[in-house]
């Protein structure tokens, strides 16, 4: 269930999606697909919560059935693809007392004064292999600024960075969303070819398959760079392995609290 909430005084809106998912891993894939479609049109702040019947880490579960890595990876891939952030249990989310249910209510505290974190510009190494990339650099490595060489250099970097951001969006788009869309398109073309195996339908299917393969290679290069593993050779397609490694790095680097000089634990922004 997805709700659109509007703060009348501040004239701000937020979308809230409440989830109670199936226990079966196959049926759970339907939820991921529907959430991908929601994410593709989402421009406002988006809060998702509920019972997904799946976890991100084994330590989140005690007893019961074993945890299957494939289900954990699917859940983690969905979170990363839709650029979601786990709010955790200390900073903004509080578990209330269970009453008449085996589920605990969650109290989410929102602070409109919270500092906004701007996503940093990320340079992906495989960009340099494209001829149009060099053209973007040449066209934008100029400046009308005169005077201090350091100011001129900074102006050039800023101009190139802005141009590369636009070039990336136009050339590749969102890699993960492109893959999800192409996988759906392939399913349609496969059915069309089975029902009507013409040369035209086969060519359409092969073209989409080639596009998907190209984006699979980009996805692999993206995760290899994120994981920081140089010893993997080209063609060692194992994006799930890279993905799990990156999640581990993020978990180790995350800071949720610090101690001040008086040994008082600080957990707020």
């Amino acid at each position: 269930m997805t709700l659109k909430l509007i703060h009348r005084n501040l004239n701000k809106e937020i979308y809230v999606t409440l989830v109670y998912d199936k226990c079966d891993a196959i049926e759970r894939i339907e939820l991921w697909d529907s959430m991908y479609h929601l994410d593709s049109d989402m421009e406002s702040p988006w809060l998702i919560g509920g019972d997904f019947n799946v976890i991100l880490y084994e330590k989140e579960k005690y007893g019961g059935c074993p945890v299957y890595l494939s289900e954990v990876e699917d859940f983690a891939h969905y979170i990363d693809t839709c650029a979601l952030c786990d709010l955790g249990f200390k900073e903004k989310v509080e578990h209330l007392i269970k009453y008449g249910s085996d589920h605990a209510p969650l109290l989410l505290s929102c602070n409109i004064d919270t500092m906004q974190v701007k996503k940093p510009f990320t340079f992906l190494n495989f960009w340099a292999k494209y001829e149009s990339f060099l053209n973007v650099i040449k066209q934008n490595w100029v400046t009308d600024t005169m005077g201090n060489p350091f100011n001129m250099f900074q102006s050039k970097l800023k101009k190139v960075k802005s141009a590369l951001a636009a070039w990336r969006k136009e050339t590749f788009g969102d890699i993960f969303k492109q893959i999800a869309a192409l996988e759906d398109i392939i399913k349609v073309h496969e059915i069309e070819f089975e029902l009507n195996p013409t040369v035209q339908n086969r060519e359409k299917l092969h073209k989409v398959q080639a596009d998907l393969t190209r984006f699979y290679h980009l996805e692999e290069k993206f995760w290899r760079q994120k994981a920081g593993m140089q010893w993997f050779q080209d063609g060692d397609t194992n994006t799930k392995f890279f993905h799990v490694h990156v999640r581990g790095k993020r978990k180790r680097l995350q800071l949720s609290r610090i101690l001040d000089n008086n040994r008082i634990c600080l957990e707020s922004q």
Side-chain angles (χ1 to χ4, degrees):
M1 178 184 294
T2 299
L3 309 173
K4 178 181 179 180
L5 307 180
I6 300 177
H7 195 298
R8 294 181 177 177
N9 294 337
L10 299 178
N11 194 28
K12 292 183 179 295
E13 67 179 27
I14 181 175
Y15 283 83
V16 179
T17 297
L18 309 176
V19 176
Y20 188 78
D21 200 17
K22 304 288 183 66
C23 293
D24 183 83
I26 302 300
E27 293 180 313
R28 196 181 296 120
I29 293 177
E30 297 179 5
L31 172 68
W32 306 148
D33 288 339
S34 62
M35 300 296 266
Y36 285 133
H37 289 299
L38 272 176
D39 174 68
S40 61
D41 297 326
M42 190 64 62
E43 297 181 352
S44 301
W46 188 23
L47 175 66
I48 306 169
D51 187 357
F52 290 88
N53 271 310
V54 66
I55 59 177
L56 280 176
Y57 308 98
E58 290 191 45
K59 65 181 181 181
E60 296 178 352
K61 183 177 184 295
Y62 299 96
C65 299
V67 178
Y68 295 101
L69 182 61
S70 59
E71 298 181 20
V72 173
E73 289 176 342
D74 286 342
F75 190 30
H77 182 71
Y78 157 71
I79 290 177
D80 274 346
T81 302
C82 293
L84 299 176
C85 176
D86 185 1
L87 295 180
F89 306 106
K90 294 289 185 180
E91 304 243 355
K92 303 176 182 177
V93 181
E94 179 183 356
H95 285 195
L96 303 182
I97 298 175
K98 299 178 183 178
Y99 183 77
S101 172
D102 61 346
H103 290 70
L106 300 177
L107 175 62
L108 175 66
S109 301
C110 298
N111 184 0
I112 60 174
D113 296 327
T114 299
M115 177 181 61
Q116 297 295 320
V117 180
K118 186 177 181 180
K119 190 174 181 180
F121 174 80
T122 302
F123 179 86
L124 299 179
N125 296 336
F126 65 81
W127 292 354
K129 296 182 178 180
Y130 288 77
E131 183 178 353
S132 55
F133 165 82
L134 294 178
N135 293 333
V136 172
I137 300 296
K138 291 178 181 178
Q139 293 171 6
N140 292 276
W141 194 251
V142 292
T143 179
D144 297 331
T145 304
M146 299 299 293
N148 190 309
F150 291 102
N151 291 338
M152 295 175 61
F153 182 68
Q154 183 184 24
S155 177
K156 289 182 177 183
L157 287 179
K158 187 175 181 180
K159 188 175 182 181
V160 169
K161 170 185 163 184
S162 177
L164 283 178
W167 172 82
R168 176 202 58 79
K169 186 175 182 180
E170 180 181 350
T171 305
F172 306 107
D174 188 310
I175 295 175
F176 303 108
K177 291 179 181 178
Q178 294 275 22
I179 288 176
L182 287 170
E183 287 175 340
D184 290 338
I185 294 173
I186 283 180
K187 293 177 183 178
V188 175
H189 284 308
E190 286 177 340
I191 295 174
E192 290 181 350
F193 182 68
E194 290 177 1
L195 296 176
N196 187 18
T198 63
V199 175
Q200 291 81 1
N201 284 341
R202 183 174 64 240
E203 289 177 349
K204 290 180 181 179
L205 177 58
H206 286 175
K207 183 181 183 302
V208 180
Q209 288 174 335
D211 290 339
L212 180 60
T213 299
R214 182 170 69 90
F215 277 100
Y216 275 152
H217 288 317
L218 296 179
E219 181 192 34
E220 178 190 351
K221 292 175 181 177
F222 171 86
W223 284 117
R224 183 187 288 115
Q225 180 174 335
K226 279 281 190 179
M229 292 182 173
Q230 302 299 327
W231 46 270
F232 262 78
Q233 299 297 319
D234 287 338
D236 287 340
T237 305
N238 197 345
T239 55
K240 286 187 176 181
F241 175 76
F242 295 138
H243 187 274
V244 172
H245 183 76
V246 170
R247 276 197 292 113
K249 287 176 61 179
R250 288 179 180 173
K251 193 70 176 178
R252 291 192 300 271
L253 295 174
Q254 185 178 15
L255 293 177
S256 58
R257 62 189 66 85
I258 60 174
L259 290 176
D260 64 11
N261 293 334
N262 299 318
R263 305 297 294 174
I264 298 175
C265 186
L266 306 176
E267 300 183 6
S268 67
Q269 289 280 354

